[in-house]
Amino acid sequence: MLRGMHPARRRLLRGAFALPLVALLWASPRPLRAQEAPETLDRARMKQLTALCERFAKAAESPFPDGAMMLVENDAAAEPPIPASAVAPLVEALVELRMKHGPTLKKKGSDYFYDEESKRGFYMVSRGKKGGGLLLSLHGGGEGQGDAGSAHGIWGSASSKGFTVISPEVMEKVSSAWNMEPEEQMVLALIDAAKRTFEVDPRRICIAGHSMGGDGTWMIGGRNADVFAAAAPLAGSVMPYMRPGTLNRIDTPLSDYQGLMEGVVANLMHVPYHIHHSDDDRNEAIHPDDIATGYLKRLQQLFPGKYVFTYDRVSGNGHALPATGVKPIIEWLSEQERVTYPDEVVWETWWPWKRRMYWLYHPEPKSAWRFHGKVLGDNHIDLVATSKPAAGRTEPDAFTVRVLLSSRMVDLSRPVRITSGDKVLFEGVVPRSVWALLVTAGRSMDPTDTYEAFVDVEVPRVLWFDLWDGLR
């Protein structure tokens, strides 16, 4: 049975369909700035907006759901403002409709998420309690190796702590498969399908894995930090940049490591990580974990109370699971809850289709851009933007960033001030928008993840610096 979309079709969408949509969205008229919202919506207007929400929800059943949903979002961006009184009923209707349309999962056992004939998207599932968390468990492996059953054997007992456990299997059994784009998209699609199938708590979605699964836990968890409550990579690593001609091996000197892949560590401001690694691991060298935790320690100094992590660095355990097993880690994961409305956000980008991180949005970010936003109080938000120079591309002088706003962050009845250092980027009252509801609560199918308004600003680019090297 077809339960999702083949990765090749998603790549076709991005290459042949999504780019014109992005251009259309970013060029769409924005009448919201010049209009005031009515105090209430009449029955006809509410019916019209509910129909828009239904069209958005049904777009998830399209052969190209992301592009189809963006078309509806584009229409929503041109809609007049909505009053505060309309937000709750629209979000309720929107989430209910989203739950009814789109792929679902088998409730127990195993199945293929894409289709059984191609045998792609295999997963195993153990159902937890109603209202419990969701745990994505990633298996290890490599060239021609790895299966969902190995991960489910390690993490399936988390159902006793209320977690629904989903263990997907990579579609290409190659080294570092969880760092590949189709695999990451499959994991995120499984999360959406799980929300439709099980009554899971969207604030308690966790990810964990061992070996190559630990790699995926680092990479997918970091690149989608706004999705997860916590993560536990065991004997894995962030993908390192190596000096040409060298390999990531235990005997390789640290001087041959030239950094870690962007879009991961910097994003972990609000996602606690439990990291385990043994210093004699010959399958997955410990060096990248030493480097990553070194960065996290510096970030803790720069941002007190944030970038929480535990590094269980041991000796003599090789490539094995922790000597105490994973039960204490599962217990710890069960205690975590996602931060939804942070007062500060760091978003280091990677995939062009990952358009949102908490309350920052860009229609198609390029890899290794970084946006840093902070709510300073008194309806004041400050932004810093930078990008890492890359061969063959010209870095912009400024970035158009869409700032999503919630009444939990600012008082939307008063003017909002957005700056970048001494430069004022915007100042004024920002009306509520149905577009903001679609791209937040609508996309995430989560009423607790509701941003009501947005404003576009041009943020000047500063020269690139690694975040852990200090703020500028």
Side-chain angles (χ1 to χ4, degrees):
M1 181 185 297
L2 182 65
R3 294 183 181 271
M5 191 196 313
H6 194 283
R9 297 174 75 184
R10 288 198 299 268
R11 289 193 289 270
L12 176 64
L13 167 62
R14 274 213 335 277
F17 187 38
L19 289 179
L21 280 175
V22 167
L24 181 63
L25 175 64
W26 216 234
S28 63
R30 296 179 177 80
L32 299 184
R33 305 284 77 82
Q35 298 185 34
E36 291 185 2
E39 290 186 7
T40 59
L41 295 182
D42 60 30
R43 183 175 299 178
R45 178 67 175 139
M46 183 62 79
K47 185 176 180 180
Q48 178 190 7
L49 290 177
T50 303
L52 180 75
C53 293
E54 184 172 17
R55 189 155 61 91
F56 179 76
K58 288 183 175 179
E61 297 174 334
S62 163
F64 306 110
D66 185 48
M69 293 167 81
M70 285 186 71
L71 281 174
V72 183
E73 290 167 357
N74 181 61
D75 292 342
E79 288 285 339
I82 59 174
S85 60
V87 170
L90 281 173
V91 168
E92 182 180 3
L94 176 60
V95 173
E96 183 178 345
L97 287 163
R98 284 280 283 133
M99 292 293 189
K100 292 179 179 178
H101 299 282
T104 57
L105 302 178
K106 195 171 182 178
K107 293 189 176 180
K108 62 179 180 179
S110 62
D111 202 357
Y112 290 90
F113 185 63
Y114 295 113
D115 66 272
E116 189 169 357
E117 184 177 348
S118 68
K119 297 192 182 300
R120 292 173 69 84
F122 182 76
Y123 67 91
M124 301 178 70
V125 60
S126 291
R127 189 171 187 172
K129 71 176 183 181
K130 181 179 177 180
L134 176 65
L135 176 61
L136 276 294
S137 67
L138 308 184
H139 65 78
E143 298 295 332
Q145 298 179 340
D147 64 273
S150 62
H152 215 65
I154 296 170
W155 301 100
S157 63
S159 60
S160 66
K161 297 299 297 183
F163 280 110
T164 291
V165 183
I166 297 175
S167 304
E169 188 168 297
V170 296
M171 293 174 286
E172 277 193 75
K173 294 188 178 180
V174 296
S175 179
S176 303
W178 290 119
N179 191 41
M180 296 174 65
E181 186 174 12
E183 271 66 21
E184 182 163 334
Q185 290 178 314
M186 177 179 68
V187 168
L188 298 175
L190 284 167
I191 290 173
D192 280 354
K195 291 176 183 178
R196 294 188 189 96
T197 309
F198 310 102
E199 292 188 52
V200 298
D201 186 343
R203 301 165 300 176
R204 297 180 54 231
I205 300 173
C206 299
I207 187 168
H210 174 254
S211 188
M212 185 179 76
D215 300 346
T217 300
W218 267 116
M219 307 304 291
I220 297 173
R223 289 194 287 239
N224 304 278
D226 54 341
V227 172
F228 296 104
L234 313 181
S237 65
V238 182
M239 297 296 103
Y241 293 127
M242 305 298 299
R243 186 173 61 80
T246 64
L247 297 173
N248 178 24
R249 297 288 185 266
I250 191 171
D251 299 321
T252 302
L254 278 175
S255 58
D256 287 336
Y257 289 77
Q258 299 181 333
L260 303 178
M261 188 175 283
E262 295 80 18
V264 180
V265 176
N267 294 342
L268 301 181
M269 178 174 275
H270 305 291
V271 186
Y273 264 56
H274 180 93
I275 305 148
H276 168 84
H277 219 136
S278 181
D279 62 8
D280 61 340
D281 187 339
R282 304 202 71 85
N283 294 63
E284 284 256 9
I286 197 172
H287 307 316
D289 269 359
D290 283 346
I291 295 169
T293 54
Y295 292 164
L296 287 169
K297 287 177 182 178
R298 295 183 211 169
L299 290 169
Q300 286 182 334
Q301 294 171 351
L302 293 167
F303 303 93
K306 299 179 171 70
Y307 291 99
V308 174
F309 74 97
T310 301
Y311 189 18
D312 181 26
R313 192 184 195 279
V314 300
S315 299
N317 199 45
H319 195 55
L321 293 168
T324 54
V326 298
K327 186 176 179 180
I329 300 172
I330 291 171
E331 180 74 33
W332 173 79
L333 289 169
S334 71
E335 297 168 354
Q336 309 307 312
E337 186 173 302
R338 182 195 66 204
V339 174
T340 308
Y341 302 99
D343 61 358
E344 189 169 13
V345 175
V346 172
W347 179 20
E348 207 165 83
T349 61
W350 193 254
W351 302 122
W353 43 263
K354 173 62 178 176
R355 295 184 286 272
R356 176 193 166 207
M357 181 70 78
Y358 298 106
W359 44 266
L360 297 177
Y361 182 96
H362 193 283
E364 196 190 35
K366 298 187 186 302
S367 61
W369 288 358
R370 189 173 66 240
F371 307 118
H372 179 192
K374 188 172 185 179
V375 181
L376 299 176
D378 196 27
N379 271 27
H380 181 191
I381 296 171
D382 191 71
L383 299 173
V384 177
T386 186
S387 60
K388 187 172 185 176
R393 82 179 188 192
T394 301
E395 304 305 318
D397 293 328
F399 300 90
T400 302
V401 178
R402 183 162 286 184
V403 181
L404 300 165
L405 299 172
S406 165
S407 54
R408 295 170 182 255
M409 296 166 53
V410 295
D411 181 352
L412 289 170
S413 68
R414 297 173 48 227
V416 174
R417 188 168 186 256
I418 302 178
T419 60
S420 184
D422 295 332
K423 185 174 182 179
V424 177
L425 308 179
F426 173 87
E427 191 160 13
V429 175
V430 185
R432 291 171 173 85
S433 158
V434 69
W435 180 89
L437 304 185
L438 294 189
V439 301
T440 58
R443 283 277 182 170
S444 64
M445 294 182 283
D446 179 4
T448 70
D449 177 30
T450 299
Y451 287 79
E452 309 149 56
F454 73 88
V455 62
D456 295 334
V457 292
E458 291 287 323
V459 187
R461 180 177 65 89
V462 301
L463 291 177
W464 173 265
F465 61 96
D466 288 315
L467 191 65
W468 38 84
D469 285 340
L471 301 179
R472 301 182 188 181

